[in-house]
Amino acid sequence: MTARTARTARTARRGPAAPPTAPGPGAASPVRTDIVLLAVAIAGISLSAPLTATIAAPALAIAFWRNAMAVGALTPLALVRHRGELRGMGRRAVLLSLAAGVLLAVHFAVWLPSLRMTSVASSTALVTTTPIWTTLLLRLRGHRPPALVWAGTGLAFLGVVILTGVDFAVSARALAGDALALAGGIAAAGYVLLGAEVRRTVGTVAYTYVLYITTTVLLLGTCLLSGASLGGYSGGTWLKLALLTVTAQLLGHSLINRVVKGLGPSVTSTAILLETPGAALIAALWLNQLPPAAAYPALLVILAGLTLVIRGDRGGR
């Protein structure tokens, strides 16, 4: 057998060489899925401020019930389908989840009362400063966000300022409400960062379940200490609380916990800025509160800022 014949025989036994494979069209599908889920989450949390403003219950009680109802809805799923995942959470993941729950409780405890102390526009604008604090906290932890992330964060927040015309009112009560909303934005930044860390190794349901239980317990204690009424509401009030839980809590915060692993804390927290124009649109359609003329160009500015953050974050990775 000649050398050429031997080579031909070996090739026949191995079969034809496989052609080089190129990335399929679904290679970026996880990112697209996360972006769609993030859009649903933003739509959910955009209901929070307008709906809370119409609920005839103490602000702290509203914060407690939206978390308590969410725990009730997640319990069958967490204990039946994700029991092993809960048991497998390491000590570090549990502690970080508890810390995130503390920050989420602080976020709700200071922000929801601010809605009744200052204007809804000012409160929403200040609480959505989350991406600024997220970027600063990342820098303190040793990360160096790309210049596009800084630029996009600033541009997106500029859009919020254009939209709301944040008015630091001269009354002491309004100023206190502004301070509470700002504190809520800082707490939310810590909650998003801790959630991103936990989600590296823990699934969405297990993390969210521990998170909401912690938040519920802390808010219950706060309600009891402050004397906030937890019952005696009308049927319409309970219905609105249930709607708030489904939209702002389960579809809002829970999906944020889902996508923060893939999109990262910078993109996720910056997208939360879209809550402000979302809330304005809902208020216009539901409460007949027409948004200001700057709403439409401001939305474009926010979207442009979010685009820069996404590009900068992906380039940094």
Side-chain angles (χ1 to χ4, degrees), residues 76 88 120 128 164 177-178 203 232 237:
V120 172
T128 53
T164 61
D178 291 339
T237 296

Side-chain angles (χ1 to χ4, degrees), residues 13 47 49 62 113 192 263:
R13 286 196 298 268
L47 270 170
I62 296 172
V192 170
L263 297 179

Side-chain angles (χ1 to χ4, degrees), residues 145-165:
L148 276 181
V149 172
W150 287 105
T153 300
L155 185 61
F157 182 66
L158 175 62
V160 172
V161 173
I162 294 174
L163 176 63
T164 61

